[in-house]
């Protein structure tokens, strides 16, 4: 073992300088530690802001869907009123008095009166009956459809608890069969076990040709009758190229 | 812009006592421009006086807690950076924390030629933005008079957390039993009940400051009377 260095003023000065250097390195390390901590906090704050913005956007999206649904319902009511008026008009036109006064209107037409409207088209296929369902649609159907197809996703079960064995979308008379029995663990956790529908998720992809179409999302109950879960009218307008 | 104008605008920018706890709002309202901000945090607007009082305070720190060129320092409630501008020349790095982003904007302008400074906006009362065991010195001057007692103690506790073992702290306020303290007290009592401003200055006692530091875990706690009629409590975080 070597004897310790003798304590000289030079040795003390060297040790003091070394101690000062160590202290400075330690302080510099702590400064960078604080800076890193602050940067991380800032990143977390930014992330938190992004999360808040995403939540706000989702809320706005839901509000927009609610507004759109209201407008769709109003349009449907207006369409119903127009159909009722057309039916009333057809009834008037087929009445005895209308036929009796036809020559007078023909004469007025020859003298420059208004052109006669076309006769209404024939009746559409009778829709399936509705039924009470507990359901939710992850992708809202209340929208303007811009793409060539759309996938409706959600979950549902009938109020009487019977199993859904198939799902489909009827779009203006065209039928699109979907998939059912998809897992929805969060829904089951929230609403409790559904013995008839342990996997209540579904999805249906359907084409969206341009124009206005009646849409009916339908479920087959226990391999028997089809029942409508939700019905609406949709507008399909392809994006401009 | 005259000090008289700034005085008027400052009076217009103040809030009522009921809002005192909304520190961010109360102090941001008083940071609308640099003169009003300086008046609110230091009581004067001219740069030479701000520098002079900044230097005086650094001397106070040197005489109480001591200063070391390798110190990493945190000021709680740095306002417009009055002290940081002077103190940053005498330490390794100076961090200034304030709850008012408006005050920090002025501080940023005043400290733009000080690369060893960092300004941090506090989200609320406390120092949650900072890690533990990081600083050599934490101080808080001319701030406690604007805080409720619970929040004063919260900052003392937080100072203890962010100081490294062996780190020093300093907190001051004005006492009621000085001529100046009694003058502030009687002047404040003249406000009508519903028009007491949120920033109104409230005194501390020597006992109060000492209790805060001891309860928070500081050792070597000393409460001093300073020549400028403030009382200051200092302590050391045990190693």
């Amino acid at each position: 073992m070597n004897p310790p260095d003798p304590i000289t003023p030079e040795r003390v000065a060297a040790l003091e300088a070394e101690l000062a250097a160590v202290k400075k390195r330690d302080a510099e390390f702590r400064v960078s530690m604080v800076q890193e901590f602050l940067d991380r906090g800032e990143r977390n704050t930014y992330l938190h802001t992004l999360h808040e913005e995403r939540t706000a956007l989702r809320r706005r999206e839901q509000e927009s869907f609610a507004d759109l649904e209201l407008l769709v319902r109003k349009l449907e009511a207006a369409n119903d009123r127009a159909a009722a008026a057309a039916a009333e008009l057809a009834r008037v036109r087929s009445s005895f008095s209308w036929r009796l006064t036809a020559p007078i209107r023909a004469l007025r037409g020859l003298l420059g009166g208004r052109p006669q409207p076309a006769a209404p088209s024939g009746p559409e296929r009778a829709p399936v009956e509705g039924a009470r369902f507990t359901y939710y649609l992850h992708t809202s159907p209340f929208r303007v459809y811009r793409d060539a197809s759309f996938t409706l996703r959600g979950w549902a079960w009938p109020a009487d608890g019977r199993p859904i064995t198939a799902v489909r979308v009827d779009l203006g008379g065209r039928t699109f069969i979907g998939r059912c029995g998809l897992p929805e663990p969060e829904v089951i956790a929230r609403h409790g076990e559904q013995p008839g529908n342990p996997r209540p998720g579904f999805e249906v992809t359907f084409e969206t040709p341009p124009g206005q179409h009646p849409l009916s999302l339908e479920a087959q109950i226990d391999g028997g009758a089809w029942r409508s879960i939700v019905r609406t009218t949709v507008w399909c307008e392809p994006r401009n190229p | 812009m005259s000090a008289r104008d700034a005085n008027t605008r400052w009076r217009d920018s103040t809030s009522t006592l009921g809002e005192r706890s909304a520190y961010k709002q109360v102090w941001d309202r008083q940071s609308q421009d640099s003169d009003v901000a300086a008046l609110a945090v230091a009581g004067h607007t001219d740069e030479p006086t701000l520098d002079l009082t900044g230097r005086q305070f650094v001397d106070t720190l040197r005489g109480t807690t001591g200063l070391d060129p390798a110190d990493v320092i945190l000021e709680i409630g740095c306002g417009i950076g009055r002290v940081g501008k002077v103190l940053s020349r005498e330490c390794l790095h100076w961090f200034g924390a304030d709850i008012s982003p408006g005050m920090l904007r002025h501080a940023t302008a005043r400290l733009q030629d000080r690369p060893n400074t960092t300004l941090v906006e506090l989200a609320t009362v406390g120092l949650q933005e900072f890690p533990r065991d990081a600083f050599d010195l934490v101080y808080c001057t001319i701030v406690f008079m604007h805080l409720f007692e619970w929040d004063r103690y919260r900052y003392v506790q937080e100072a203890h957390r962010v100081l490294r073992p062996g780190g020093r702290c300093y907190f001051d306020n004005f006492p009621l039993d000085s001529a100046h303290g009694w003058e502030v007290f009687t002047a404040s009592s003249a406000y009508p009940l519903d028009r007491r401003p949120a920033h109104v200055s409230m005194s501390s006692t020597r006992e109060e400051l000492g209790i805060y530091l001891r309860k928070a875990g500081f050792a070597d706690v000393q409460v001093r009377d300073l020549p400028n009629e403030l009382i200051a409590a200092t302590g050391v975080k045990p190693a």
Side-chain angles (χ1 to χ4, degrees):
Chain A
M1 196 171 149
N2 296 328
D5 292 341
I7 299 174
T8 61
E10 293 76 20
R11 172 95 181 120
V12 170
L15 285 173
E16 278 176 353
E18 197 178 325
L19 185 64
V22 168
K23 266 177 71 178
K24 192 171 178 216
R25 277 208 303 279
D26 167 61
E28 281 166 350
F29 170 77
R30 281 184 284 112
V31 170
S32 57
M33 177 182 79
V34 175
Q35 299 280 21
E36 199 175 306
F37 196 85
L38 291 170
D39 289 346
R40 203 167 58 213
E42 236 170 60
R43 282 199 297 276
N44 287 344
T45 306
Y46 182 57
L47 202 63
H48 178 69
T49 306
L50 287 179
H51 280 306
E52 281 189 335
E53 281 177 4
R54 187 177 65 180
T55 306
L57 284 172
R58 279 183 176 161
R59 197 179 309 119
R60 272 172 51 196
E61 185 192 27
Q62 286 167 3
E63 285 167 2
S64 302
F65 282 144
D67 289 348
L68 207 54
E69 182 172 356
L70 190 69
L71 289 170
V72 166
R73 297 296 181 209
K74 282 182 176 175
L75 260 170
E76 285 173 348
N79 279 346
D80 288 348
R81 284 198 301 277
E88 175 67 13
L89 195 60
R91 194 188 60 74
V92 169
R93 281 177 177 156
S94 62
S95 68
F96 175 72
S97 59
W98 182 265
R99 286 200 300 269
L100 196 67
T101 55
I104 302 168
R105 286 193 300 280
L107 190 62
R108 266 178 59 190
L110 285 174
L111 295 172
R114 283 178 298 179
Q116 297 301 302
S121 60
E124 290 178 357
R125 196 184 72 173
V128 301
E129 286 177 36
R132 280 189 56 224
F133 286 86
T134 300
Y135 73 98
Y136 181 78
L137 301 175
H138 299 307
T139 51
S140 170
F142 302 102
R143 64 178 69 228
V144 176
Y145 293 76
R146 301 289 191 191
D147 297 319
S149 65
F150 182 76
T151 300
L152 204 52
R153 290 190 185 88
W155 52 264
W157 57 75
D160 59 15
R162 286 190 295 162
I164 290 177
T165 46
V167 288
R168 71 183 184 192
V169 161
D170 182 310
L171 190 80
R174 293 180 68 197
T175 302
F176 299 86
I177 300 292
R179 296 196 305 145
C180 60
L182 305 181
E184 286 280 0
E186 287 180 14
V187 176
I188 295 297
R190 198 163 63 243
H191 291 267
E193 291 294 329
Q194 302 297 319
N197 296 278
R199 292 148 71 96
F202 65 80
E203 64 175 30
V204 191
T205 300
F206 54 93
E207 291 172 18
T208 51
Q212 177 186 343
H213 315 283
L215 178 149
S216 172
L217 170 66
E218 297 166 355
Q220 189 183 36
I221 309 299
D222 210 1
W226 288 86
R227 292 286 178 263
S228 181
I229 300 171
V230 62
R231 229 189 294 271
T232 184
T233 304
V234 299
W235 283 265
C236 308
E237 278 187 32
R239 278 191 187 86
N240 290 328
Chain B
M1 214 172 285
S2 73
R4 186 191 169 96
D5 287 342
N7 257 312
T8 310
R9 282 180 286 124
W10 176 42
R11 273 201 303 275
D12 291 345
S13 72
T14 56
S15 311
T16 57
L17 187 63
E19 299 170 272
R20 186 176 175 95
S21 291
Y23 298 114
K24 195 176 276 290
Q25 183 189 321
V26 167
W27 290 94
D28 233 28
R29 285 190 66 196
Q30 296 180 74
S31 65
Q32 52 190 272
D33 64 52
S34 55
D35 280 350
V36 172
L39 205 55
V41 298
H44 39 78
T45 59
D46 63 298
E47 200 61 31
T49 312
L50 287 171
D51 271 349
L52 175 69
T53 57
R55 280 199 302 277
Q56 285 170 342
F57 177 71
V58 170
D59 287 341
T60 300
L61 274 184
R62 195 177 290 109
T64 51
T65 61
L67 289 175
D68 187 299
D71 274 345
V72 182
I73 299 178
L74 171 65
E75 176 172 356
I76 301 170
C78 67
I80 60 171
R82 175 181 63 98
V83 177
K85 193 175 171 188
V86 182
L87 187 54
S88 57
R89 290 198 194 98
E90 304 198 22
C91 65
L92 184 79
H93 202 100
W94 177 89
F95 288 84
D98 204 286
I99 206 161
S100 159
M103 291 294 175
L104 291 175
R105 271 198 305 279
H106 300 304
T108 304
R110 290 169 53 79
L111 297 169
Q112 56 187 343
D113 60 340
R114 300 284 194 279
N116 64 332
T117 61
T118 304
L119 294 163
V120 178
E121 181 189 340
L122 300 176
T124 183
V125 173
L127 300 172
Q128 59 281 351
E129 285 79 2
F130 296 96
R132 60 189 309 115
D133 300 339
F135 297 97
D136 297 294
L137 170 62
V138 175
Y139 68 89
C140 179
T141 182
I142 321 287
V143 170
F144 267 23
M145 59 273 285
H146 303 303
L147 305 183
F148 280 121
E149 283 82 346
W150 312 286
D151 303 325
R152 295 173 185 172
Y153 179 56
R154 173 86 178 131
Y155 278 119
V156 174
Q157 281 182 304
E158 281 286 87
H160 186 271
R161 182 181 64 81
V162 302
L163 276 169
R164 68 165 175 79
R168 300 97 69 202
C169 73
Y170 170 103
F171 297 90
D172 66 27
N173 199 354
F174 72 91
L176 189 58
D177 61 3
S178 68
H180 171 68
W182 189 250
E183 188 185 328
V184 172
F185 179 79
T186 49
S188 300
S189 73
Y191 282 109
L193 272 178
D194 58 337
R195 283 168 50 202
R196 283 175 179 156
H199 64 270
V200 73
S201 294
M202 294 181 182
S203 59
S204 283
T205 63
R206 293 165 191 78
E207 191 182 20
E208 175 201 345
L209 296 185
I211 287 173
Y212 291 158
L213 267 64
R214 276 186 280 272
K215 291 279 185 192
F218 283 104
D220 299 337
V221 175
Q222 293 185 51
V223 183
R224 301 172 167 86
D225 281 63
L226 301 177
N228 57 1
E229 294 197 82
L230 292 178
I231 49 172
T234 57
V236 176
K237 180 174 176 176

